[in-house]
């Protein structure tokens, strides 16, 4: 599990948080071997603004074939319990 503590508004304005998340994705990708990580099983999740950022990461990373992702929203998780 990698939890990214990205900057929140109003202290960090767009696109600073997404840039921080992209840096985190790059770090995970570059360290995947040391982390013993199967990059084909990466999951990106978020709630509220985090879900928005997660969807942006999926769109950006899918375009460069960096990593696959699946987005989970809190509401979906709670409805399936």
């Amino acid at each position: 599990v990698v939890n990214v503590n990205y900057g929140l508004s109003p202290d960090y304005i767009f696109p600073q948080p997404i840039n921080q998340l992209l840096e985190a994705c790059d770090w995970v990708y570059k360290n995947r071997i040391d982390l013993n990580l199967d990059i084909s099983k990466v999951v990106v999740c978020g709630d509220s603004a985090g879900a928005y950022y997660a969807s942006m990461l999926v769109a950006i990373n899918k375009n460069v074939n960096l990593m696959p992702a699946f987005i989970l929203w809190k509401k979906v998780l709670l409805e399936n319990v």
Side-chain angles (χ1 to χ4, degrees):
V1 175
V2 176
N3 182 22
V4 181
N5 192 15
Y6 60 88
L8 302 175
S9 64
D11 297 325
Y12 296 87
I13 59 171
F14 187 84
Q16 289 173 313
I18 196 69
N19 289 337
Q20 293 170 342
L21 294 168
L22 286 168
E23 288 175 13
C25 284
D26 287 342
W27 181 88
V28 169
Y29 185 76
K30 288 175 184 173
N31 292 283
R32 67 191 182 281
I33 294 171
D34 293 337
L35 297 169
N36 196 27
L37 179 66
D38 181 352
I39 206 74
S40 69
K41 296 181 181 177
V42 170
V43 176
V44 178
C45 10
D47 182 40
S48 190
Y52 170 74
Y53 288 139
S55 65
M56 290 186 68
L57 287 175
V58 172
I60 292 168
N61 286 326
K62 214 171 198 177
N63 290 337
V64 296
N65 296 319
L66 179 59
M67 62 179 68
F70 180 76
I71 302 170
L72 302 173
W73 279 272
K74 191 175 185 180
K75 183 178 179 184
V76 173
L77 290 174
L78 293 176
E79 288 176 355
N80 292 319
V81 173

